[in-house]
Amino acid sequence: MSEITHAVVIENKQIAQDTFDLRIHSPAQAAKAKAGQFLGIYTGNPAMLLPRPLSICEIDKPNGILRVIYRIVGGGTKEIAEVAAGEKLRILGPLGNGYDIDTNYRDIAIVGGGLGVPPLLQLASSIRKIKPSANIAIYLGFRDKSQVILEEEFSRYDDKVTVCTDDGSYGVQGNAIAALPQKPVFDAVYGCGPKPMLAALAKYAEAAGLPCFVSVEEHMACCVGTCLACAVKAYQDGGTVNKRACYDGPVFNAKELVWE
């Protein structure tokens, strides 16, 4: 069950344009967290009552540390970026459903785009820990060279990390989906990123008959499933229903979701 704590900020530094690397000490939350979950981080500004949903990038359970990589996209995240080491942040979490890892999968593709890349780092770490013999192929897509992050850290879990940029300023030109092999050699595919990328990944996996699990990026408000602001359309009982990304997700089986 999620809880609210006042966590001490260990580090909060800029690593790319408008992108920050936040590490907080929160042993109780770190002990419960899993890859794919997120935190609701409060700004402390009384004018901003709702927390900002930020994905967990890494979980250090022995030391009680959670890592979050986020981008300044508005006033709330701007205020979070101004919090210095040693200060405290009010944190709600861990929230949502994370990735389930099937130990029967040996050859696995991990595909991320933009700010969908950071939460996949813990996924890669968890797969390697649970399935040491797994073959993990990692594909990361960014807008341009200035936005590339975590390449070296992903290389801990894969001998070759394929980095793509839309403009070709670094790595392979194009998006991460285009870099995938035309004839898949995987047992399963995991992804996180913008909806068009995930829709293309779901189509790729469906055509190959592969299980595909994705973490959706939806605008959230309450973070706990009450306000229904983050509804995503899903198939159910021969029809469609709205599911809450924050509560029913953010990780879904790609077959569940309506992509059109």
Side-chain angles (χ1 to χ4, degrees), residues 42-86:
Y42 293 87
T43 67
N45 184 338
M48 301 179 184
L49 297 178
L50 296 173
R52 270 45 189 175
L54 302 176
S55 297
I56 297 171
C57 173
E58 280 192 297
I59 305 163
D60 180 351
K61 292 182 185 291
N63 294 303
I65 297 171
L66 291 170
R67 182 185 185 189
V68 171
I69 291 180
Y70 65 98
R71 183 177 296 152
I72 295 177
V73 294
T77 43
K78 185 176 186 300
E79 292 206 12
I80 292 171
E82 293 170 353
V83 177

Side-chain angles (χ1 to χ4, degrees), residues 113-197:
L115 278 188
V117 167
L120 295 174
L121 184 62
Q122 182 59 48
L123 174 63
S125 173
S126 298
I127 292 173
R128 181 60 70 210
K129 182 177 181 180
I130 294 171
K131 185 80 171 180
S133 62
N135 297 316
I136 305 173
I138 298 171
Y139 301 85
L140 310 177
F142 302 92
R143 188 175 65 246
D144 56 45
K145 185 178 180 179
S146 71
Q147 297 296 316
V148 176
I149 55 173
L150 301 177
E151 179 184 6
E152 184 175 344
E153 288 165 272
F154 271 100
S155 67
R156 301 174 194 158
Y157 312 112
D158 179 27
D159 291 335
K160 182 181 180 183
V161 177
T162 302
V163 177
C164 308
T165 51
D166 293 341
D167 64 358
S169 56
Y170 186 82
V172 179
Q173 183 169 9
N175 59 46
I177 304 300
L180 290 167
Q182 291 186 350
K183 293 184 178 180
V185 292
F186 312 116
D187 298 320
V189 179
Y190 293 86
C192 184
K195 186 174 181 179
M197 188 207 87

Side-chain angles (χ1 to χ4, degrees), residues 3-21:
E3 59 183 273
I4 294 179
T5 63
H6 288 82
V8 176
V9 173
I10 299 172
E11 187 175 59
N12 192 17
K13 65 179 182 179
Q14 186 169 357
I15 58 172
Q17 184 179 358
D18 296 327
T19 304
F20 286 75
D21 188 340

